[in-house]
Amino acid sequence: MTTALMLFRRDLRLADNPALSSACASHARVLPVYIHAPDEEGESAPGAASRWWLHHSLDALAKNLRERGAGLHLAHGPTLDTLRGLISRTGAEAVYWNRQYEPASIARDTRLKAALQAQGVAVHTHNAALWSEPWTVATQQGDPYRVFTPYWRTLRAQVTAQAPLPEPAFSDWAEQVDALPLAAFDLLPSQPWDGGLAATWRPGEAGAHELLDLFADDALADYARLRDLPARHGTSRLSPHLHFGEISPVQIHYELERRNARVDARRRADLEPYLRELGWREFAHHLLFHFPHTPRQNFNPRFDDRLWEPPDEPVLERWRRGRTGIPLVDAGMRELWHTGWMHNRVRMIVASLLTKNLRQHWRRGAEWFWDTLVDADLANNTMGWQWVAGCGADAAPYFRVFNPVTQAQRFDPEGEYLARWLPELAGAPPALRHEPWKDPALLRRSGYPAPMVDLGQSRKHALDAYQRARG
DNA sequence: GCGCGTTTGTG
DNA sequence: ACAAACGCG
């Protein structure tokens, strides 16, 4: 009877979990373990909203395991000491985990693997999170890609709809010893600000597949058009489930292809625009792996930090709280605060306002997103903010400054999204929701603030600063 | 060398 | 029309 440990991290699912399947295939007894060690994760340690998600996702995983006669052994770090303790108590001969790609996690896992192997324990690691791991895609020169489109062409040619792994058989799970209760991780907020999160999300594997079903039935067919409308549920909203590994790109791809094959040719959805978005997620991981300094430093080294003003706390606070007086920006920031998520188009617009019109460093924005997003992901967050700020890989040109009024008129023409998140403006006609300052009485009556910046003027300032920095 | 490239705004 | 500049095939 050989025993193995299955170390869960951000792969909180039973189906299509290569490390878990491999452990179960090779060992008579497997002990599923989760070790809480945020100090080992460096800048990818979860923020407040992610901790909320993690709590509920672990809860869901533990329940799934219990229903199958197993359990999830919870423990505090350090990871190595904890694993050593479990190995000596269970007589485990091997440890299995799925790989992570953040700089601190890579360093930790490298040390972990060497230390375990040195004491005679076998270590098996797998890919559970990506279509293609960051080092498997390269230019013809053998270099990492810095531009999305050629990256995607290469990756797309490699990607086929692979059948995901089924749940492994659950016989003879090792018994738990001295496990902690989930509450010991202290992941939930002490102030109850999480009501909006609970009303919006169902963390865990079942919740992920529920959303996938909804997306496949509902929005996918018209994805290219609907994905840009923040008032609609036109996107998959799978990002937090993907971040915590409750579902994999392989599962999503396979399921969407399978459903497509079952409807007649005329009604088939065009999957490509959606697969391309998953491609951006892969690209972000590719960039973070090959350019691990980018969470802190500009990807483009010629980009000058003097473009941004020193941190201005009152300015940052109005932006964070959704009181800039620019409706689409405030709606987005309030959606974020309430639900832990923001529509991607709105993310670009609030980021453009912060980094260009308000001239605050993109890292201030990335920090706030990190704490408030349930899908906060170091690779995606870093790439997204640098892209908008203009200093990233394949970035928007710096002179591209979004106009949040035009954007709202184009993508939320009826002001539905604005009304949903800005109760002050809900009663006003759409045209005034887009530009409430045109009716000073409305501002007085509703208490909605006047704009904190002149969009035209601040745009000009940003472009001038860019010219100076270049010159 | 040469064409092409997620997400735009202003005049 | 124009606002840059460069990675990639």
Side-chain angles (χ1 to χ4, degrees):
Chain A
M1 281 265 284
T2 63
T3 301
L5 305 182
M6 165 62 198
L7 180 59
F8 279 97
R9 291 105 63 90
R10 291 209 315 264
D11 50 350
L12 303 176
R13 64 177 186 268
L14 300 181
D16 198 43
N17 188 323
L20 178 65
S21 287
S22 176
C24 292
S26 311
H27 300 272
R29 308 197 320 149
V30 174
L31 177 64
V33 184
Y34 184 88
I35 301 172
H36 187 53
D39 47 320
E40 295 175 12
E41 294 179 279
E43 57 210 351
S44 50
S50 298
R51 287 197 296 274
W52 175 89
W53 190 287
L54 177 60
H55 175 98
H56 293 289
S57 190
L58 287 172
D59 195 34
L61 179 67
K63 279 191 183 115
N64 282 349
L65 285 166
R66 268 202 301 281
E67 280 167 17
R68 291 155 179 82
L72 181 61
H73 181 94
L74 301 179
H76 272 301
T79 302
L80 179 58
D81 297 345
T82 309
L83 287 176
R84 281 179 168 154
L86 285 167
I87 287 164
S88 69
R89 274 185 293 184
T90 60
E93 295 167 357
V95 180
Y96 290 75
W97 69 69
N98 291 306
R99 290 186 282 274
Q100 296 193 264
Y101 308 95
E102 292 84 356
S105 303
I106 291 172
R108 188 263 316 267
D109 290 352
T110 305
R111 287 194 301 272
L112 206 55
K113 184 173 178 179
L116 291 171
Q117 286 175 334
Q119 69 178 76
V121 175
V123 175
H124 302 277
T125 72
H126 298 263
N127 165 27
L130 297 169
W131 271 324
S132 270
E133 291 182 297
W135 51 87
T136 63
V137 181
T139 68
Q140 288 173 353
Q141 271 49 267
D143 298 321
Y145 280 96
R146 296 151 186 271
V147 173
F148 176 73
T149 302
Y151 168 84
W152 175 237
R153 272 200 266 271
T154 300
L155 175 61
R156 186 67 189 90
Q158 297 175 12
V159 168
T160 53
Q162 295 287 331
L165 296 166
E167 273 189 23
F170 294 91
S171 59
D172 272 331
W173 292 73
E175 273 173 33
Q176 293 183 82
V177 272
D178 303 334
L180 291 174
L182 180 54
F185 291 170
D186 202 19
L187 294 167
L188 295 178
S190 43
Q191 303 288 326
W193 53 262
D194 53 335
L197 304 192
T200 311
W201 302 102
R202 186 182 171 205
E205 200 168 354
H209 288 276
E210 223 169 63
L211 272 193
L212 178 60
D213 277 350
L214 204 68
F215 178 59
D217 288 345
D218 233 36
L220 182 65
D222 215 1
Y223 180 73
R225 192 171 63 84
L226 297 183
R227 75 192 189 103
D228 271 323
L229 309 181
R232 299 287 300 258
H233 279 168
T235 66
S236 75
R237 287 170 295 147
L238 283 167
S239 51
H241 297 285
L242 277 163
H243 173 76
F244 286 96
E246 298 163 4
I247 195 165
S248 70
V250 171
Q251 288 174 299
I252 296 173
H253 189 193
Y254 187 78
E255 179 62 19
L256 295 181
E257 289 280 13
R258 193 185 65 82
R259 287 171 179 241
N260 233 10
R262 281 160 40 153
V263 299
D264 63 85
R266 280 175 313 138
R267 291 182 42 232
R268 256 171 224 172
D270 178 15
L271 298 184
E272 288 307 314
Y274 179 69
L275 297 181
R276 192 180 168 89
E277 295 305 309
L278 291 177
W280 275 96
R281 176 177 174 274
E282 303 269 323
F283 185 49
H285 283 78
H286 178 85
L287 290 174
L288 179 59
F289 178 80
H290 291 290
F291 307 98
H293 61 285
T294 51
R296 308 201 160 275
Q297 284 167 257
N298 299 332
F299 178 90
N300 182 345
R302 292 188 339 200
F303 226 77
D304 197 328
D305 273 352
R306 284 173 303 177
L307 270 171
W308 295 291
E309 305 285 347
D312 184 332
E313 202 42 47
V315 164
L316 288 167
E317 198 54 16
R318 286 189 69 170
W319 177 79
R320 291 180 192 127
R321 298 296 159 190
R323 294 199 53 83
T324 67
I326 316 284
L328 186 54
V329 172
D330 291 342
M333 298 308 289
R334 294 185 198 183
E335 179 182 34
L336 171 61
W337 181 249
H338 188 75
T339 69
W341 187 85
M342 195 194 302
H343 188 279
N344 187 243
R345 171 153 297 277
V346 188
R347 293 189 198 198
M348 297 188 287
I349 292 159
V350 304
S352 170
L353 187 92
L354 186 74
T355 57
K356 298 191 172 161
N357 303 89
L358 298 176
R359 305 268 307 280
Q360 292 289 299
H361 200 289
W362 61 267
R363 282 200 307 265
R364 301 291 87 73
E367 285 159 6
W368 181 249
F369 272 27
W370 189 258
D371 215 33
T372 52
L373 279 171
V374 289
D375 65 20
D377 181 279
L378 192 64
N380 295 331
N381 204 38
T382 302
M383 181 186 71
W385 275 97
Q386 292 225 30
W387 185 88
V388 174
C391 55
D394 200 19
Y398 189 84
F399 56 80
R400 245 183 225 174
V401 180
F402 283 87
N403 181 329
V405 176
T406 318
Q407 288 278 312
Q409 288 162 341
R410 189 183 312 163
F411 296 111
D412 189 34
E414 301 306 317
E416 237 180 298
Y417 179 73
L418 301 181
R420 188 179 308 157
W421 294 109
L422 306 172
E424 302 101 306
L425 306 180
L432 279 179
R433 281 183 227 152
H434 291 134
E435 299 173 286
W437 47 85
K438 288 197 165 165
D439 180 2
L442 169 63
L443 296 189
R444 274 198 305 277
R445 196 166 63 237
S446 66
Y448 187 72
M452 68 187 289
V453 277
D454 180 293
L455 292 173
Q457 224 167 59
S458 57
R459 174 181 201 274
K460 242 171 88 49
H461 278 154
L463 297 184
D464 290 348
Y466 177 59
Q467 284 299 335
R468 279 199 304 280
R470 270 200 321 137

